[in-house]
Amino acid sequence: SAQGAQQIASAIQTETCRLLELNLVDNQIGDDGARYIASAIRKGTCKLTDLCLADNGISDIGATEIMGAIQTVSGSLKLLNFQGNRIKHVHVPNSLESLNFSHNQIALEGACLIAASIIPQSSLRILHLGGNSLDAESMRMIAETLKRVSISHEVGVIRQCALAELHLEANNFGDKGLSYIADAIRIYSLTTLNISNNQ
């Protein structure tokens, strides 16, 4: 519950707490609980590197609080799991290395924000977007971003961004969406691509 999250948040922000990984899967902390966790992260004394908030009924409100806290402190938190919540569109901090947005409610608007985070200054290496509502236009946005950073890299303007793994399974972008992604991976150096179970 949110009350339980408040107690955990109080603990992880103390100087003496050495906790690096926190798994709060399926505790229904909601947006209120996410705010408590975000407040702890903002303190700057939180040492977490890996935070799992899957299946907690968190919406854009709570997710924005968490993302904002991470962006503010640019601290040690590198792995963030929001799987199975109610998130539609949030900004992604540059400091994250792994982000799991699987089985949320992300569609075109959310895809636009995520595409905007695929930049050379970002540390993001692994991105999970499976089981959302990403259509062909969403794939076009992501593919165009991948091609743009690759072209910039080729002409020596900026380095290619860190993204190496992209998981897009169980969406609904069909053959048209697949064609956009196929075009992008001709020039962008992904190492892992999951596009299973699309129609």
Side-chain angles (χ1 to χ4, degrees):
S1 67
Q3 183 178 3
Q6 183 179 22
Q7 295 172 7
I8 293 296
S10 177
I12 63 176
Q13 65 185 283
T14 60
E15 293 281 357
T16 54
C17 183
R18 297 290 182 265
L19 195 67
L20 298 178
E21 298 181 18
L22 176 59
N23 187 333
L24 286 169
V25 172
D26 199 16
N27 276 286
Q28 296 306 306
I29 68 170
D31 291 333
D32 288 340
R35 285 192 189 97
Y36 291 128
I37 300 296
S39 179
I41 294 170
R42 281 195 182 92
K43 293 290 183 181
T45 52
C46 177
K47 301 170 184 66
L48 290 180
T49 60
D50 186 340
L51 176 60
C52 183
L53 297 173
D55 300 314
N56 271 293
I58 297 169
S59 73
D60 288 350
I61 295 170
T64 298
E65 290 284 341
I66 295 287
M67 296 302 198
I70 294 170
Q71 189 72 51
T72 297
V73 298
S74 294
S76 59
L77 188 56
K78 301 300 181 184
L79 284 71
L80 181 59
N81 188 339
F82 269 127
Q83 181 176 339
N85 282 288
R86 298 184 291 111
I87 298 164
K88 296 180 180 179
H89 41 79
V90 293
H91 291 279
V92 179
N94 291 342
S95 60
L96 283 175
E97 295 180 3
S98 177
L99 177 60
N100 191 336
F101 271 147
S102 298
H103 299 284
N104 275 276
Q105 298 172 13
I106 297 170
L108 179 58
E109 185 176 354
C112 291
L113 288 177
I114 290 166
S117 72
I118 304 173
I119 57 174
Q121 294 76 23
S122 173
S123 299
L124 191 63
R125 295 184 299 105
I126 303 170
L127 178 59
H128 292 264
L129 293 171
N132 281 283
S133 301
L134 300 174
D135 58 9
E137 183 63 15
S138 303
M139 290 303 99
R140 187 186 70 80
M141 294 294 301
I142 292 171
E144 288 299 319
T145 300
L146 294 176
K147 289 193 292 183
R148 184 168 61 250
V149 297
S150 296
I151 292 168
S152 297
H153 172 65
E154 287 177 2
V155 300
V157 178
I158 53 177
R159 67 176 177 85
Q160 181 168 303
C161 60
L163 188 66
E165 292 188 25
L166 182 57
H167 300 263
L168 299 167
E169 71 280 2
N171 279 284
N172 192 32
F173 46 76
D175 289 343
K176 189 172 183 180
L178 287 172
S179 70
Y180 291 133
I181 295 299
D183 194 31
I185 62 175
R186 293 178 192 274
I187 58 174
Y188 186 88
S189 301
L190 282 177
T191 59
T192 301
L193 175 63
N194 185 348
I195 49 176
S196 61
N197 194 26
N198 278 284
Q199 301 295 322

